[in-house]
Amino acid sequence: MRLNELKKNDDFIKREVKYGERKITLYYLKSICDEEKITDTIISPFYEIFKMDTFVDYIQSFEEWAIIDKEKVAIDKIFGGNVVISLEDKIYAVKMDKFESRSISESSEESVLQGPKDSLSEKISTSLNIIRNRYRKDTLIVKNHKLGQNSKTNLIVLYDNTLCDHENLLYLNNKLKNIEVDLLQSAGQLQKFLMDRKWCPFPLFLTTERPDRVVTNLSQGKIVFLIEGSSWALIGPARFYDFFKSMDDPVELPIVGKFFILIRYIAVIITLFFPALYVAVISYTPEILKIQFALLIAGSRISVPFPSYAEIIFMMIMAEFLSEASIRLPRTISSSATTVGGLILGQAASEAGLIGDVMIVVIATVALSIFVIPINSMHQAIRVLRYPFIILGSLFGAIGVLIGAFALLTYLCNLRSLGKPYMQLLTNKTL
Amino acid sequence: MLGQRYYIYLFYINALVSVTACIPQLLYKNRYNGSLTSLALSVIIGAIFIFLFQSRIKKFPRQNILEILDRDLPNILIKAYHSLSFLLSVFAGVLFLNSIMQIIREFAPLNSSMIFYCFLLLIVFSILIETNSILFMLEIVILFVTPLLLLILLRFFTDHLVLMDSIKESFTYIVHFPKAHSVVSGLFIFTGYTNLLVYCEHIVSINKKHLLIIWFILCCVLFSTYFIPIGYFGLKGVGLENYVWVTTIDSMHINYFFLERMVLVFILILIGITLMYLIINYHSAIRMLQMMTDDIGGKIKWFGIVIVVISALVTQYYADEINLLTFFIYYFVFRFILDLILIFLLFYVTKKAS
Amino acid sequence: MDIDKRSFVTAIGIDESDNLEKKYKITLKISLSKGDPATTGAEFTLLSFDANSISEALKNMQSMTDKELFYGHTKTILIGENVATKEIRPIIDYFVRKADIQRTAYLGVAVPNALQVLEFKPKVEQVAGSYLFSMFEENSNESPYAKALTLFDAYRRETESGINLAMPIIEVQHKKIQVNTIALFSKKGLESKLNAKESELFKLLTVGIKNGSTIINTNDGTYTIKILKGKTNCKIINADNNTKTAFFHIKLQTSVEEKVDNHLDLTYEKVQKIQDETEKKIKKDVHLLLDTIQKSKLDPMGLGLKLRASSLLHRDIPDIYSNLNFKVKVDCRIKEAGIVG
C-alpha cells in the first residue's frame, strides 16, 4: 500500500481505534488536521455508537465527506486536510482541516485615514466572511476552483450575478482551466497568468488587501479572485483610473475627494514627465524658463562635470536604491538608511559639485510624487517608465518627450483588461 | 458603441489641424479681395454639407462605408471611391507631415531628421491599433490640448497690444466676391466627416443638437484662426508671416509660473494635434485599403504601411522643393470633389434603399 | 548643448560705429551666472564688435566666447539715437526674422548711445539686464511716462499703413537711467521727440495711465492733481461731406494731492472748480499735442488705421489724416480729497 510511503513523514499519523470487535483506522497529517476535532467528532462518537451502520451514517452527516475507491484519491485527500477512515470494507474521507493564519489585521499596504482598517486574511473563509458580511445580497456568487500542480491552491471567484459581464466569466473559466502552474501563491502571480500580454508593464488587474475595495468593485460588476494563503484579492476588469482611487475617496466630502484624485494625477504626470522635461529644457530650450530661473540652473551646474542626462539618471538610480533598500530592510534600519542616503548623499553630492542644487530639488519632487499613487503595482509600472522618457528627452528634447507620451498613450488606449478598454474616459454614458 | 461626443472630437481635431494645414495663410492671400466672403460662404456650405451628411448617414447606423455603399452600386465604383480616398489620405498625411516638419526645422532645429523617423515609427505603431483605441486616444489628447488653447484665446482677449483697428479694417474689404480657393480651404474645416466614415460604425449616430454644437465650435475655430493673427500683425503684416500662428503666439506676452516663452509649448501642442490627426488620417487610409480589398485581417495592411512610409520618406527627401501652400490647395480641391461625390453616392444609396 | 554651455545675451545694443568704414557697432550684454544662488547673475560682461551688418557682428562675437551665445532670453534691444535717425526698418526686419529672439522683446532708443546705457550697472538687479526690461514691463513699473514697444509691435507699425512707430527713449543722465520721453518715428527713422509732459499725455491717449500728475492753477491757488487712472476712447466720426473728426473721450479719475504753498482746505465748490480747470487744461494740452503730431505728418496713434477701418472706401490715407479734425472731451472726476476732509 502506497499509503505506507507516507510514513516517511513524521507528521503522518496512522491511528487504530478499537472497541471490541469494531475497529477503524484513521490516516491523516497532523500538521494540517485539527486533532482535537478528530478526537471530539470521530473517536468519541465511535465509542458511543455501538452499531457500525449507525457510525457510517454518522460519518455521512459530515459537511464534506467522500467514499474513496482509489488509493491515489486517498493520498490527495490526506494532503487536502482530510482524515481517511478505513472501516471494515469501505474507506471514507472526512474534512478535518486546520488552516493557521493571522487573525484579521490592519491593512498595512493600503492605509487610509478614515475608511475601515481591516484587511483580507490568508484564510479564504475568513476573507469570504468579511466580504459576505459587507455585501449581503443574494446575487453574490461564490465559485471554488483549484489551481497549481503541487500547491493545489484553493481559489474563489466572486461576482455579482446580475451586474457582471457573463462573457468575461466564461472567458475567465476557460482561462483558469488552461493555467498550468506548479505553485500558485499570490494574487500577483495569478494576474500574470490571466493577462494576455506578456510584456505589459501595467497591471491589468487590481490587487488589494482591503475588503471595502473588494466590495466596492463587486458592486460595480467586477470579478474578484480570492486565493488561499494570500491576503490579496485580484479584481478585474480594471481600468487605469481604478488604480488612482483610494478608499478614502468615498469617505471624504465630494470636493475634497475630487481634489485629492486630481492631486494624484498631477503627481503621476510630474513623476513621468518632469525629469525628462527638465533634461530636455535645460539642454535644448532654456528660453522657455524665466531668465532668473535659467541663470539659477546654469549657475548650479557650473561645477558639474557631466551632462545633465547623466546627472539625472545617476540621481534617479540613487533614489531607486533608497526606496528599494527601505522596503527590504527591517523597519528599524530602513529609517536610518533613508536618512544616510537622502540627506547625506544629496547634500554631499551637491557640495562636492557633482550634482546641481536644482537637480536635487527635481529628484526630491519626483521621488516624492511617485508615492502618491495608492496602488502599489501601478506605482511600480510608472517608476519603470520614467527612464525611457528621460532618454527620449535627452535625445530629442521636449519633442522626444511628446513622442514618448504619444506612444505611451497609444499603448494604454489599446490595452484591454478582460476585453474592457483600459483607458477610456467616461465609459458608462453615451454622451 | 461609443457616445456621440466622439463625433465632436473628430470634427474638432480636424478644425484645429487647420493651423498646420496653412489654412490661415491661404486665406490671407485674398485678404484684400474676398477672403471674408469666402469664409462666410464656406461656413454656410459647410453647414449644409454637415447636415446633409447627417440626414444620410443616420439611416445606416453601425455600418461602415463599405456596408453602406455596397448595396446597389456597381462594385467598380465602390472600389474606385475607396482607392481614391486611400490615395487622398496618404497625400494628406504626407502634406501634414511635411508641414509640421517645416515648423520643427524652423523653431526647434535639433536633429530633426531623427525626430522625423521617430514620428514615422510612432505613426506605424499607432495606426495598427484598434479603431476604438484611436478614439479613446483622441479624447485624451483633446482633453490635454483644449485648456491650453483656451488660455491662448483668453490671452488674446485681455491683451491690449492687439490692434482691434486692424481686425476692423479687415472687415472693410467685405465687398468682394468669394474666391474659390479660399472657400475650398475654409471648407476643409467642415469636411472632417470624410475621415469619420471609418469611425462612424463605432459611434452611435449623431443627432441635430450635437451637429449644431459641432458647427458652432468649428465656426469659432475658423474665425479665431483667421482673426487673431490679424490683431497681432496687422492686415498687411499677416501676409508676410510664413508660420503665422507660431509667430502670433510668440508675440503674445504669456508669462506664467516659471515659464516664459510659451511659443515652444504651443509648438508642442501643434505637434500633438498634428500627430493625432495623422494617426486618425492614416488609420482611416489603411481601413479604406482593407475594405477595398476585403482583406480585413490580412497582409494588405502591411502593403498600406509600406506605401505610407515610402511616400513620407520620399517627400521628406525633397522637402525643400515642395511648395506646401499650392499642394494644400490641390488637396482641398480634391477633397471637396470627393466629398461631393460621396454625398451624391449617399443620396443615391438612400433613395434606392427606401 | 547644456544650459551651462550657453551665455545668456540679455540685451543687444546697436550704435553707429566710430570706424568710418563700418556701419554698426553691436554691443551684447551677457549675463554671467554663478554657482552661488544668493548672488545670481547680476554680473555681466559686454561684447562689442564693429561690422557692416548685424549678422556679421553677431557671428564674429560668437568666436570671441567659449560658450554659445544664446538669444532666447534677449529681452531688450536698444537702438542708438544716431542709428535710429537714419534707418530703422532694416534693424527691426533683422530681429523679426531671427527666430530665436522673442517677439515680445522690448525696443528702445538709447540716448546718447546704446553702449552707455548697457554699461550702466544698477545697485540692485536680479539678473543683469533685468533692470532694463523691468522698466518696460507694465506690471513691475507703473511709471506714467514709459510706453513699452515690443518687437512685433514695432514691425507691425513699420509694415502697416496708417500707423507709425513711437519708441520710448532710455537716457543716461548723471549715472542714472531714465525712461520718461518718447521718440516719434516716420516709416524711415526718428523724426521728433516728445518731452516728458507730452509723453505722459501721449500715453494717456494711447494705453491710458496710472499714477500721473498735473498742476492746476485756479484763481485761489495752485493744486497738484494726481491722476489715479486715465483712459481714452478714440472714435472716428463721419461728418457730412469729406471732413472726418477724430473724437477723443478722456476719462480721468483724480484726486487732489497738495496745494502749493498752502494747506488744503477743500470745499465742494472748490473741488468743482478744480475739476473744471483740470478738464480745460487737459483738453488744451491734448489739442496742442495732437496738432503738433499732425503737423509733423506722423501718426503714432494709428489714426490713419482707424480711418481705414471706418469706411469701406480705401482712399489715400495721408491726405485724410492731414485734414482730420480733432474733438476732445474730458471727463474728470475727483475721487477723494485726501484722508483729512
Side-chain angles (χ1 to χ4, degrees), chain A residues 17-18 24 39-40 53-54 61 64 90 115 144 153 164 180 194 242 244 324 326 340 367 381 393 396 400:
Chain A
V17 188
K18 263 192 217 161
I24 54 169
T39 319
D40 287 354
D53 290 353
T54 328
S61 76
E64 269 187 64
K90 279 190 184 133
N144 275 316
T153 314
C164 89
E180 282 188 10
L194 293 178
D242 293 334
F244 295 90
E324 269 304 291
S326 53
V340 171
F396 306 120

Tab-separated table of all heavy atoms in Angstrom, chain A residues 17-18 24 39-40 53-54 61 64 90 115 144 153 164 180 194 242 244 324 326 340 367 381 393 396 400:
chain	number	residue	atom	x	y	z
A	17	VAL	N	-8.275	2.572	16.073
A	17	VAL	CA	-9.193	2.703	17.186
A	17	VAL	C	-10.016	1.423	17.256
A	17	VAL	O	-10.606	1.005	16.266
A	17	VAL	CB	-10.109	3.934	16.988
A	17	VAL	CG1	-10.928	4.167	18.235
A	17	VAL	CG2	-9.292	5.160	16.638
A	18	LYS	N	-9.987	0.835	18.399
A	18	LYS	CA	-10.692	-0.449	18.535
A	18	LYS	C	-11.698	-0.364	19.665
A	18	LYS	O	-11.501	0.317	20.672
A	18	LYS	CB	-9.682	-1.551	18.867
A	18	LYS	CG	-9.242	-2.339	17.664
A	18	LYS	CD	-8.484	-3.570	18.171
A	18	LYS	CE	-7.334	-3.880	17.248
A	18	LYS	NZ	-6.345	-4.724	17.906
A	24	ILE	N	-11.618	0.832	13.553
A	24	ILE	CA	-11.382	1.741	12.412
A	24	ILE	C	-9.937	2.200	12.448
A	24	ILE	O	-9.301	2.217	13.507
A	24	ILE	CB	-12.309	2.984	12.425
A	24	ILE	CG1	-12.203	3.709	13.773
A	24	ILE	CG2	-13.729	2.605	12.090
A	24	ILE	CD1	-12.873	5.050	13.746
A	39	THR	N	-10.633	13.942	17.633
A	39	THR	CA	-10.974	13.236	18.866
A	39	THR	C	-12.435	13.462	19.222
A	39	THR	O	-13.161	12.533	19.547
A	39	THR	CB	-10.080	13.740	20.025
A	39	THR	OG1	-8.776	13.912	19.524
A	39	THR	CG2	-10.080	12.771	21.181
A	40	ASP	N	-12.860	14.720	19.127
A	40	ASP	CA	-14.219	15.048	19.560
A	40	ASP	C	-15.291	14.478	18.650
A	40	ASP	O	-16.329	14.033	19.120
A	40	ASP	CB	-14.402	16.563	19.626
A	40	ASP	CG	-13.672	17.132	20.823
A	40	ASP	OD1	-13.150	16.337	21.612
A	40	ASP	OD2	-13.612	18.372	20.946
A	53	ASP	N	-23.257	0.379	11.399
A	53	ASP	CA	-24.050	1.048	10.367
A	53	ASP	C	-24.395	2.482	10.765
A	53	ASP	O	-24.329	3.402	9.974
A	53	ASP	CB	-25.357	0.273	10.136
A	53	ASP	CG	-25.098	-1.042	9.459
A	53	ASP	OD1	-23.913	-1.243	9.072
A	53	ASP	OD2	-26.042	-1.833	9.326
A	54	THR	N	-24.741	2.623	12.045
A	54	THR	CA	-25.063	3.951	12.539
A	54	THR	C	-23.849	4.857	12.445
A	54	THR	O	-23.950	6.037	12.115
A	54	THR	CB	-25.522	3.881	14.010
A	54	THR	OG1	-26.172	2.656	14.219
A	54	THR	CG2	-26.411	5.055	14.335
A	61	SER	N	-22.905	12.246	7.738
A	61	SER	CA	-23.568	13.506	8.085
A	61	SER	C	-22.600	14.680	8.128
A	61	SER	O	-22.995	15.808	8.333
A	61	SER	CB	-24.253	13.375	9.442
A	61	SER	OG	-23.290	13.437	10.475
A	64	GLU	N	-18.272	17.664	4.655
A	64	GLU	CA	-17.555	17.222	3.472
A	64	GLU	C	-17.053	15.804	3.709
A	64	GLU	O	-16.210	15.570	4.568
A	64	GLU	CB	-16.339	18.137	3.223
A	64	GLU	CG	-16.640	19.295	2.321
A	64	GLU	CD	-15.380	20.051	1.982
A	64	GLU	OE1	-14.487	19.476	1.339
A	64	GLU	OE2	-15.291	21.231	2.392
A	90	LYS	N	-15.153	-0.339	3.714
A	90	LYS	CA	-15.121	0.894	2.926
A	90	LYS	C	-14.147	1.896	3.514
A	90	LYS	O	-13.782	1.834	4.680
A	90	LYS	CB	-16.517	1.504	2.881
A	90	LYS	CG	-17.394	0.847	1.845
A	90	LYS	CD	-18.657	1.656	1.675
A	90	LYS	CE	-19.576	0.958	0.713
A	90	LYS	NZ	-20.955	0.893	1.238
A	115	GLY	N	-11.285	55.489	6.340
A	115	GLY	CA	-12.025	54.303	5.920
A	115	GLY	C	-11.807	53.165	6.899
A	115	GLY	O	-11.040	53.282	7.856
A	144	ASN	N	-15.788	27.847	-6.415
A	144	ASN	CA	-14.496	27.303	-5.995
A	144	ASN	C	-13.701	26.802	-7.187
A	144	ASN	O	-14.252	26.238	-8.122
A	144	ASN	CB	-14.713	26.130	-5.061
A	144	ASN	CG	-14.893	26.599	-3.657
A	144	ASN	OD1	-14.153	27.468	-3.205
A	144	ASN	ND2	-15.873	26.057	-2.975
A	153	THR	N	-3.823	25.060	-4.758
A	153	THR	CA	-4.330	26.209	-4.019
A	153	THR	C	-5.821	26.376	-4.241
A	153	THR	O	-6.304	26.267	-5.365
A	153	THR	CB	-3.609	27.478	-4.485
A	153	THR	OG1	-2.230	27.196	-4.553
A	153	THR	CG2	-3.870	28.636	-3.563
A	164	CYS	N	-22.316	41.495	-13.294
A	164	CYS	CA	-21.063	41.275	-14.010
A	164	CYS	C	-21.312	40.787	-15.433
A	164	CYS	O	-22.408	40.349	-15.783
A	164	CYS	CB	-20.172	40.307	-13.264
A	164	CYS	SG	-20.456	38.621	-13.687
A	180	GLU	N	-1.470	26.244	-16.363
A	180	GLU	CA	-0.634	25.160	-15.862
A	180	GLU	C	0.478	25.755	-15.035
A	180	GLU	O	1.331	26.479	-15.546
A	180	GLU	CB	-0.062	24.357	-17.029
A	180	GLU	CG	-1.096	23.419	-17.606
A	180	GLU	CD	-0.505	22.492	-18.617
A	180	GLU	OE1	0.745	22.456	-18.736
A	180	GLU	OE2	-1.280	21.822	-19.301
A	194	LEU	N	-3.429	35.431	-16.111
A	194	LEU	CA	-4.684	35.883	-16.708
A	194	LEU	C	-4.461	36.942	-17.781
A	194	LEU	O	-5.328	37.224	-18.586
A	194	LEU	CB	-5.603	36.448	-15.628
A	194	LEU	CG	-6.120	35.431	-14.613
A	194	LEU	CD1	-6.977	36.126	-13.577
A	194	LEU	CD2	-6.929	34.351	-15.305
A	242	ASP	N	-8.911	53.128	-11.940
A	242	ASP	CA	-9.143	52.426	-10.686
A	242	ASP	C	-7.908	52.432	-9.797
A	242	ASP	O	-8.013	52.331	-8.580
A	242	ASP	CB	-9.544	50.971	-10.971
A	242	ASP	CG	-10.894	50.904	-11.648
A	242	ASP	OD1	-11.689	51.835	-11.450
A	242	ASP	OD2	-11.146	49.932	-12.375
A	244	PHE	N	-6.051	54.793	-9.191
A	244	PHE	CA	-5.812	56.085	-8.551
A	244	PHE	C	-6.877	56.414	-7.528
A	244	PHE	O	-6.947	57.523	-7.050
A	244	PHE	CB	-5.727	57.182	-9.615
A	244	PHE	CG	-4.549	56.987	-10.494
A	244	PHE	CD1	-4.637	56.230	-11.640
A	244	PHE	CD2	-3.324	57.506	-10.132
A	244	PHE	CE1	-3.531	56.015	-12.426
A	244	PHE	CE2	-2.216	57.287	-10.914
A	244	PHE	CZ	-2.320	56.531	-12.062
A	324	GLU	N	14.234	51.056	-2.693
A	324	GLU	CA	14.329	49.604	-2.641
A	324	GLU	C	14.880	49.159	-1.293
A	324	GLU	O	14.343	48.258	-0.651
A	324	GLU	CB	15.250	49.082	-3.751
A	324	GLU	CG	14.531	48.747	-5.042
A	324	GLU	CD	13.406	47.747	-4.848
A	324	GLU	OE1	13.658	46.582	-4.550
A	324	GLU	OE2	12.259	48.184	-5.001
A	326	SER	N	14.812	50.677	1.503
A	326	SER	CA	13.953	50.892	2.656
A	326	SER	C	12.800	49.895	2.695
A	326	SER	O	12.210	49.683	3.737
A	326	SER	CB	13.439	52.324	2.683
A	326	SER	OG	12.835	52.631	1.465
A	340	VAL	N	20.652	58.426	5.800
A	340	VAL	CA	22.015	58.448	5.273
A	340	VAL	C	21.979	58.757	3.780
A	340	VAL	O	22.625	59.668	3.268
A	340	VAL	CB	22.709	57.092	5.503
A	340	VAL	CG1	24.034	57.045	4.775
A	340	VAL	CG2	22.922	56.873	6.975
A	367	ALA	N	10.781	61.884	-6.609
A	367	ALA	CA	10.766	60.743	-5.698
A	367	ALA	C	9.557	60.810	-4.778
A	367	ALA	O	8.964	59.800	-4.429
A	367	ALA	CB	12.040	60.719	-4.877
A	381	ALA	N	4.924	50.337	-12.049
A	381	ALA	CA	4.933	50.481	-13.512
A	381	ALA	C	5.402	51.872	-13.909
A	381	ALA	O	6.253	52.049	-14.789
A	381	ALA	CB	3.530	50.220	-14.053
A	393	GLY	N	13.934	62.407	-23.820
A	393	GLY	CA	14.107	63.831	-23.565
A	393	GLY	C	15.517	64.296	-23.824
A	393	GLY	O	15.746	65.373	-24.385
A	396	PHE	N	16.004	64.018	-27.947
A	396	PHE	CA	15.249	64.852	-28.879
A	396	PHE	C	14.589	66.052	-28.211
A	396	PHE	O	13.764	66.713	-28.822
A	396	PHE	CB	14.153	64.030	-29.557
A	396	PHE	CG	14.652	62.788	-30.218
A	396	PHE	CD1	14.193	61.548	-29.842
A	396	PHE	CD2	15.599	62.870	-31.224
A	396	PHE	CE1	14.658	60.411	-30.456
A	396	PHE	CE2	16.067	61.742	-31.837
A	396	PHE	CZ	15.606	60.502	-31.449
A	400	GLY	N	10.827	64.881	-28.163
A	400	GLY	CA	11.027	63.473	-27.858
A	400	GLY	C	10.093	63.010	-26.761
A	400	GLY	O	9.492	61.936	-26.840
